Amino acid sequence: VVQEAMRRGTVPVVFAQGPGRMNAATDLVAHGQDGLHVDYGNPDTAAAAIRALFDAPGRLGEMSARARESAAARDRFDYRAAFRELLD
């Protein structure tokens, strides 16, 4: 879902990993570049991060473009070759 959203230029705000929590989305999102990581235990922080993006349309636009670029780079990755190499 995160990858699909980034393809469309949506800036993802994902919960950061923490003690006892795993989140693959943080592997897709570079904090502050093409999305944001926020504290799972503090929903107010997530809301503030989203508000800050809306209050800075230039930053939001830059991050949106980077989100598209990041998703496109992953789309071009040759997963079959990587799996073959791993199995070899």
Side-chain angles (χ1 to χ4, degrees), residues 55-84:
D55 290 343
R59 181 173 184 230
L60 179 60
E62 290 170 8
M63 291 177 74
S64 174
R66 285 192 203 117
R68 278 192 184 100
E69 291 167 8
S70 296
R74 280 189 294 275
D75 285 344
R76 288 188 300 268
F77 184 75
D78 188 350
Y79 289 97
R80 277 194 276 181
F83 282 122
R84 276 190 222 109

Side-chain angles (χ1 to χ4, degrees), residues 11-35:
V11 176
V13 177
V14 299
F15 291 117
Q17 295 185 34
R21 291 190 298 271
M22 298 281 298
N23 183 354
T26 57
D27 294 336
L28 299 174
V29 177
H31 177 71
Q33 295 177 28
D34 57 15

